[in-house]
Every structure is written in structure tokens, then in C-alpha cells.
Amino acid sequence: MRAVSYPAYGVLPTLGDIPDPVCPDDGVVIAVGASGVCRSDWHAWQGHDPVALPHVPGHELAGAVAEVGAGVTRWRAGDRVTVPFVCGCGVCEYCLAGQAQVCPDQTQPGFTGPGSFADRVVIHAADVNLVALPPSVDFVTAASLGCRFATAYRALAARGRLRGGDWLAVHGCGGVGLSAVQIGVALGARVVAVDVSGAALVRARELGAQAVVDGSGMDPDEVGRAVHGLTGGGAHVSLDAAGSAPTSIGSVRSLRRRGRHVQVGLLFGAAATPPIPMNVVLAHELEIHGSHGMAAHEYPPMLDLITAGRLQPERLVGRVVDLAQAGQALADLGAPAATVGMTVVDLSRG
Ligand SMILES: [Zn+2]
Ligand SMILES: [Zn+2]
């Protein structure tokens, strides 16, 4: 089969031929229709998140079931599906409680095994991890759901408990941040978008943000004060969608009393331990949440909003490329402002 892989960290991924994967008993092989290009893939490629080399990236995928393991009961060849980027084992206490997104034995296509920059990809514990796609959702649109869109949805609806009329601050308007802007507006919130890219802020406004803050040259305290000024006392919910020490602290500084910070952007190296002002967390009774994707069983309410037209993930796709261009598209994420919105690889092209 065709696959895009890299032999070492930082070496441009290239298209080649590798053997077809073998279907595990509890899993399926999916014929990939489309695959998102996400900054988490870029982090793995940079060596921030170690993977076995050579490596096939890609964890945001949609396609059709091609092979079904003997132990799988819920799925058949031909089913149109997507998957969360975190796949649970299906048998541990967390999976049994419906919290596969924190499974200690989780698998992640494109991280713990070969990913979806390929004609075929293996998904383990398929009965727990596959999500049936409504007929109206095409593969390119669905490829954005497994990581960034679903992560943003659950971060706001479940972790942030965002309600109509709330102020939402979104720090970082890349894939997950712009998803959060659109979802926040659909849930009835008033959204303030923060970024250092003028083009990303224009896109945030197009997606319904009421106000924007250009954080260029601002420290986290200044960003917090700007959000307080625009929201009459701070955001009820604030998301760090960028994943850096300044944006994480800026998000906490943006909160209204009793507000909720949700950390969604991945943090690596020195940025992994930002100095959060715990004195303010205490005095203002702030809540600090992490959010790590969304388990497959939680997808239906989000898919209902998509089929009803209230959420439009296809509007977040900025660029569609073919498989031969996927390696360069991944490398391009080193300059996040280069493309506004998500890049998706359409495997039906080329
Ligand atoms: Zn598990
Ligand atoms: Zn991702």
C-alpha cells in the first residue's frame, strides 16, 4: 500500500510503498478516505513525543472498514467510520466507566502504531472505538472530527460546562481553537478569540467571535486584562488551544471569578510546567481542567449538531492536499500562521 513515512525525526516524510497491515482479532483495518494533518503529528515528527522509527503519521482519519477481526461484533466491511485519536483498550476500569480518553492501555494511530497517512490503518478494540458516520458527512469533513473538533467540543461542553450567554475566551486560533470558536458560538456563548496572527483573528471573526485580542507583544497579564475589559469582568470559560506557558497562564488570567480554564493545547519540554497563579485560583475559586479528546460513545450529540447544520466542521478546512503532498503539509505546521484552518489529506486524490 501507499504510505507517507519518515526514517528519522525532522527528516521530510515521503511517499512510498509498505506492506499492508495485518488485521488484529479485536480490531479492524480501515481503508483511509481522508486524514487530517495536525500539530500533534508535527510534535511527534520533531521528536517531542517519541514514536518508533520509521514512522507513518496521521491520527485524524475517516474511511471505510476494509477488514474485520474475528472478535469484532459491531462492525462490518464497508461501514463508514471515524475514530477518536485516543483508542481505549475496552477492558480497564476507565474504559468500562466510559472514559476511554484516559485509558492507561490506550492506542493511538500515528503515535503508538502506524497512522493514517496511508491507504490502510489498523484500529484496535474496534467495538469500543469506532464511530459510525452519518451519510451526509464526507470523509474530508469527518477527518477533522477525531482530534481537533471533537477535542474542542468536549473541552467546552463537558469540561468547561459552557452555557448560553457565557463569555468564552479562546487562546490560539489554529485547528482546535477555530473549532472552539465555532462550537462556542453554536452553544450560545459570546466568544473572544486571542492570537498573534491577524489572519487567524479574521477567520475567528468570520466564524462568529464577537471580539478579538491581538496578543502580539503582550505578556499573559496584559492578555488577561484585555479579555477582562472586553467581557466585563472576565471569561466564564477559557481555553488554551495553543499549548505554551504564556497562553496557558494568559488563559487562567482571563477568567472571571469561579471561571473554568481548560487545557487543550499540548505542552512539551519547559512549557509543560507553566507557573499557574495558584493564589488567584484559590481566591477566585477557579477550576483548572485538562481535556484529552473524546471517547467514541460521546460522539452522537456532536454528530447530531453537525447533521442539523448547527456545527459546520467543513468550514474549518483550510487546505486539501493529496497523499504525495502530506509530508510537506506536515512540515508546514512548523510555521502555524502559514495556513489558516486545518489541512486535510484526501486519499481519493492522486
Ligand atoms: Zn482501557
Ligand atoms: Zn490531532
Side-chain angles (χ1 to χ4, degrees), residues 20-334:
D20 279 4
V22 175
C23 187
D25 270 357
D26 73 338
V28 296
V29 173
I30 293 174
V32 180
S35 182
V37 185
C38 177
R39 200 159 159 83
S40 320
D41 296 308
W42 182 86
H43 279 299
W45 178 57
Q46 290 289 300
H48 302 159
D49 194 2
V51 293
L53 297 168
H55 183 68
V56 179
H59 60 280
E60 305 183 340
L61 65 115
V65 174
E67 286 179 58
V68 181
V72 174
T73 60
R74 294 184 54 215
W75 305 96
R76 296 197 188 337
D79 288 344
R80 298 173 75 257
V81 296
T82 187
V83 293
F85 75 92
V86 179
C87 293
C89 71
V91 295
C92 73
E93 65 174 289
Y94 301 99
C95 285
L96 294 176
Q99 306 292 344
Q101 76 282 354
V102 291
C103 171
D105 298 315
Q106 65 190 247
T107 55
Q108 298 185 9
F111 298 101
T112 63
S116 53
F117 284 19
D119 286 321
R120 292 183 168 225
V121 67
V122 165
I123 299 297
H124 297 275
D127 280 336
V128 180
N129 293 312
L130 297 194
V131 176
L133 284 177
S136 60
V137 179
D138 63 58
F139 288 151
V140 168
T141 302
S144 68
L145 299 179
C147 175
R148 290 168 283 187
F149 199 82
T151 294
Y153 178 81
R154 183 165 170 280
L156 296 179
R159 305 297 274 155
R161 308 191 304 280
L162 187 70
R163 288 173 299 227
D166 281 355
W167 277 105
L168 165 68
V170 177
H171 299 259
C173 294
V176 72
L178 289 175
S179 299
V181 169
Q182 186 187 87
I183 294 162
V185 170
L187 295 176
R190 295 168 287 177
V191 179
V192 182
V194 184
D195 204 290
V196 294
S197 154
L201 293 175
V202 167
R203 195 77 191 97
R205 279 224 189 257
E206 289 167 0
L207 291 167
Q210 280 200 13
V212 298
V213 174
D214 184 341
S216 309
M218 287 191 187
D219 68 26
D221 289 2
E222 291 167 330
V223 168
R225 279 198 294 277
V227 173
H228 276 255
L230 289 164
T231 58
H236 298 83
V237 178
S238 185
L239 208 65
D240 174 17
S244 72
T247 50
S248 187
I249 298 163
S251 173
V252 173
R253 291 283 187 196
S254 299
L255 289 173
R256 183 177 292 258
R257 288 162 192 253
R258 308 207 79 229
R260 298 173 288 284
H261 162 76
V262 189
Q263 185 66 40
V264 166
L266 298 174
L267 298 160
F268 294 98
T273 50
I276 299 296
M278 292 305 281
N279 55 332
V280 182
V281 172
L282 184 154
H284 293 180
E285 294 197 345
L286 307 182
E287 295 178 37
I288 308 291
H289 295 273
S291 195
H292 193 234
M294 182 163 86
H297 72 90
E298 292 189 83
Y299 274 59
M302 182 182 80
L303 291 172
D304 288 347
L305 290 171
I306 293 170
T307 51
R310 289 185 53 204
L311 292 177
Q312 299 164 325
E314 69 277 5
R315 292 184 65 200
L316 301 161
V317 176
R319 182 180 168 210
V320 180
V321 301
D322 62 30
L323 192 57
Q325 298 168 301
Q328 186 60 52
L330 187 152
D332 290 346
L333 293 183

